[in-house]
Amino acid sequence: MDKEIIIGKIVAPHGVRGDIRILPLTEKPDLFLDLEYLLLEGGKKLTVKNARFQKRMILVTTKEVTSMNEAELLRDKNIYIKASVWYNKTKEINENY
């Protein structure tokens, strides 16, 4: 079974359309820009439509979260990545530098 690594934490909603503000907890926050989905506790997946930096945070728009209220329910949730996916993504980032 593939282990999961915590790579970020949802800290707040951003705006009224359900964007999510994430604090990256990884040395390679660029990997958020290439994720297809956010993996939450309990295996719940949110499909990433758009991800961008804003200062030290990552702002993410997902397919499933469409309002500020829905985003607020996700506050303080950890974001995980499968260890094998993390390894492949960070390897790609390192090769680009």
Side-chain angles (χ1 to χ4, degrees), residues 4-84:
E4 295 174 350
I5 300 168
I6 296 174
I7 59 168
K9 184 173 186 168
I10 299 173
V11 294
H14 181 81
V16 297
R17 294 191 178 142
D19 287 359
I20 300 167
R21 191 175 316 150
I22 298 170
L23 174 65
L25 301 175
T26 176
E27 294 176 354
K28 310 254 189 239
D30 291 353
L31 70 86
F32 279 95
L33 303 179
D34 294 328
L35 291 179
E36 296 175 15
Y37 60 87
L38 299 177
L39 182 60
L40 303 178
E41 300 168 46
K44 182 176 180 177
K45 290 183 181 181
L46 301 175
T47 307
V48 175
K49 290 171 55 176
N50 184 34
R52 62 199 182 279
F53 284 103
Q54 184 183 46
K55 299 182 183 177
R56 294 177 46 201
M57 299 289 174
I58 310 289
L59 300 181
V60 177
T61 305
T62 67
K63 180 180 174 185
E64 294 80 6
V65 180
T66 58
S67 74
M68 184 189 307
N69 292 338
E70 291 173 349
E72 182 64 44
L73 294 174
L74 298 174
R75 184 186 293 265
D76 296 328
K77 300 277 187 201
N78 289 324
I79 298 171
Y80 297 85
I81 191 169
K82 299 283 185 186
S84 59

